[in-house]
Amino acid sequence: MKKEKVGIVTFHMAENFGSALQAFALEHFLIEIGCQPEIINCIYKADMEKYRLFRTNIYSRRLRALVADVLYFSRNLKRKKSFADFRKRYLTVSDDMYDMGRDEMSRLNQKYDVFICGSDQIWNLNCTNEFVSEFFLSFAHNEKRKIAYAPSMPSSVPSMYHADIKKAIERLDFVSVREENTIQYLNGEIGIEKEIVHVVDPTLLLESDTYIRTFGLMKHDSKYIFVYILEDESPLIRQIVDLALETSEETGLQIRYVYSRIIKRFKSGEYMLGIGPTEFLDMIYNASYVITNSFHASVFSIHFEVPFCVFKRKGSQSRMTGLLENLGLQNNLYSEGDYGWMGSKADSFTKEKAGRMARESKEYLWNSLGKRQTL
């Protein structure tokens, strides 16, 4: 039987661990169920500005950015190479590149049988700063099957975009989102008259052993606390650093961390900026504890059964709390003065719950792709 060619539109070029790994996970799952997926090499250049080695577009208003780009050039260059190597080895990306908003993408209809948009923040207008129709598959012809799998959207978007969003989403054949509260917002506030399903992030579609086997993860003897911090408000960063130092003092373990800049208070810590997605997984797999404000660092701490503490971020608070509540891991959400997280990690019971959640999402993909069997 001929395999359906599936074109995926997502944030595959972002030098962000979660973005890279969700792209890998969705593609890998589609291969598992008998599809022939390919990530369409379409780039929204405005969103890629922050990954430039020299962010000349912001120097006039942020002189410190120039200083940072010079100071961290070698590490940022290493990061860029690490992510490029990951994409080359683990992602199937189209040879042709498309500049969203400029290049004509309708010719893609001649190449693919099905289109999927998602996952990640592709519907988050706080990331794109405007409505980008290609992330809603505007270029796909009416007769093509058009599927949204787990895109994220902020809790509200400017009303000036409501009509565009409504029209674009109602044109899709199957719609799912990553946050449950997005369903109510789209159906209620924006007025979309279409069934919208809640599904898990693609990184939860795969078994833990798949990551261990695919990326050759192996246990080693070193003991440490892995701290992964995404950019956030200063008070929250201070809280994360405080907890990491307290945990290090309590356990005697070294801190290894990834952040956009060196944290001076981590005097004996090992700064890891420059590692790629594979090394990121290895850092979590071998950590004694993980402290983070990242959704995906939490997901992989669950996959690898590592105790972790996660801090709420404005951009991912709902999906973070929802996931932990569904899995019975509320103790892993940061609460001042509470160290119960140090003894809380995923187990076989947790994995069973996660498996049930993933099965429903897998069935959604099966059905939306027109497959007859279910998982």
Side-chain angles (χ1 to χ4, degrees):
M1 182 181 296
K2 180 183 176 183
K3 294 183 178 180
E4 285 189 308
K5 294 183 178 180
V6 181
I8 303 170
V9 175
T10 190
F11 282 157
H12 67 288
M13 286 292 290
E15 289 161 17
N16 171 284
F17 300 125
S19 296
L21 291 166
Q22 64 82 24
F24 162 80
L26 181 58
E27 181 191 333
H28 191 92
F29 177 74
L30 291 173
I31 293 171
E32 284 185 345
I33 63 174
C35 295
Q36 187 178 338
E38 185 173 71
I39 296 170
I40 301 171
N41 199 8
C42 49
I43 309 297
Y44 183 60
K45 290 187 176 179
D47 189 57
M48 296 302 295
E49 291 291 334
K50 58 180 171 285
Y51 300 112
R52 291 171 57 185
L53 291 174
F54 290 101
R55 298 165 292 169
T56 55
N57 59 311
I58 63 173
Y59 291 162
S60 61
R61 63 181 186 276
R62 288 179 56 192
L63 186 58
R64 287 184 178 182
L66 171 59
V67 177
D69 288 350
V70 172
L71 289 176
Y72 294 97
F73 173 78
S74 60
R75 286 189 177 273
N76 286 330
L77 179 61
K78 180 183 177 183
R79 178 181 68 174
K80 192 168 287 294
K81 290 180 177 178
S82 297
F83 275 84
D85 288 345
F86 177 87
R87 288 191 294 270
K88 183 177 181 180
R89 184 170 182 180
Y90 296 107
L91 301 183
T92 305
V93 182
S94 67
D95 292 331
D96 294 333
M97 181 180 289
Y98 302 87
D99 183 354
M100 285 183 166
R102 294 185 179 182
D103 291 339
E104 176 56 56
M105 296 176 62
S106 63
R107 63 181 182 272
L108 291 167
N109 290 277
Q110 301 172 15
K111 184 176 182 180
Y112 302 105
D113 304 306
V114 181
F115 293 99
I116 295 180
C117 56
S119 175
D120 216 355
Q121 306 282 337
I122 61 168
W123 288 0
N124 188 343
L125 273 63
N126 293 329
C127 292
T128 60
N129 295 315
E130 62 179 338
F131 173 78
V132 182
S133 65
E134 291 90 343
F135 283 133
F136 295 81
L137 303 180
S138 61
F139 57 87
H141 291 168
N142 290 335
E143 65 271 17
K144 294 291 182 177
R145 193 181 295 257
K146 298 172 288 296
I147 303 165
Y149 186 80
S152 278
M153 179 175 281
S155 56
S156 64
V157 298
S159 58
M160 61 184 289
Y161 296 118
H162 284 191
D164 288 333
I165 291 172
K166 184 176 188 297
K167 181 180 178 181
I169 291 179
E170 288 186 341
R171 186 172 174 271
L172 300 174
D173 298 298
F174 298 89
V175 184
S176 68
V177 292
R178 194 162 57 176
E179 288 81 35
E180 288 184 90
N181 60 0
T182 303
I183 299 175
Q184 183 178 355
Y185 178 71
L186 291 174
N187 287 147
E189 186 72 18
I190 295 185
I192 293 173
E193 298 178 358
K194 195 176 191 71
E195 181 185 18
I196 302 174
V197 179
H198 172 240
V199 293
V200 300
D201 185 87
T203 53
L204 289 164
L205 293 174
L206 305 183
E207 299 290 336
S208 306
D209 286 345
T210 299
Y211 294 104
I212 295 170
R213 183 178 61 256
T214 302
F215 298 104
L217 305 181
M218 299 179 65
K219 290 291 184 181
H220 50 67
D221 295 333
S222 58
K223 304 293 184 183
Y224 56 87
I225 302 162
F226 181 52
V227 181
Y228 175 48
I229 307 176
L230 295 170
E231 290 293 343
D232 216 313
E233 297 175 350
S234 295
L236 182 64
I237 302 298
R238 285 196 293 271
Q239 285 183 314
I240 297 173
V241 172
D242 287 343
L243 180 64
L245 290 171
E246 291 167 9
T247 306
S248 178
E249 184 176 353
E250 176 71 22
T251 61
L253 296 175
Q254 181 196 30
I255 293 171
R256 297 181 181 178
Y257 70 102
V258 174
Y259 185 44
S260 60
R261 58 185 180 274
I262 292 172
I263 298 174
K264 293 181 180 179
R265 293 175 61 195
F266 288 164
K267 296 179 181 177
S268 58
E270 185 176 354
Y271 189 40
M272 308 293 293
L273 181 65
I275 64 173
T278 302
E279 294 79 13
F280 171 76
L281 292 179
D282 183 77
M283 290 300 300
I284 296 176
Y285 186 65
N286 281 288
S288 298
Y289 302 99
V290 172
I291 298 174
T292 188
N293 62 343
S294 158
F295 173 79
H296 284 104
S298 302
V299 167
F300 286 105
S301 295
I302 293 168
H303 267 304
F304 303 145
E305 301 179 22
V306 177
F308 68 98
C309 183
V310 59
F311 289 71
K312 295 179 183 178
R313 296 183 72 236
K314 287 184 179 179
S316 61
Q317 180 171 331
S318 61
R319 61 182 163 134
M320 184 70 70
T321 54
L323 176 65
L324 296 183
E325 288 172 0
N326 287 332
L327 297 181
L329 292 173
Q330 296 93 322
N331 285 341
N332 295 89
L333 193 63
Y334 173 75
S335 178
E336 188 173 0
D338 185 354
Y339 293 88
W341 66 270
M342 296 182 72
S344 178
K345 63 179 182 179
D347 54 21
S348 58
F349 185 61
T350 312
K351 294 293 188 67
E352 185 179 341
K353 286 184 177 180
R356 286 199 297 269
M357 292 168 57
R359 276 194 294 276
E360 294 176 2
S361 300
K362 291 175 182 179
E363 288 178 359
Y364 163 82
L365 274 172
W366 270 108
N367 294 334
S368 61
L369 287 163
K371 302 286 185 179
R372 293 182 179 179
Q373 63 188 105
T374 57
L375 297 173

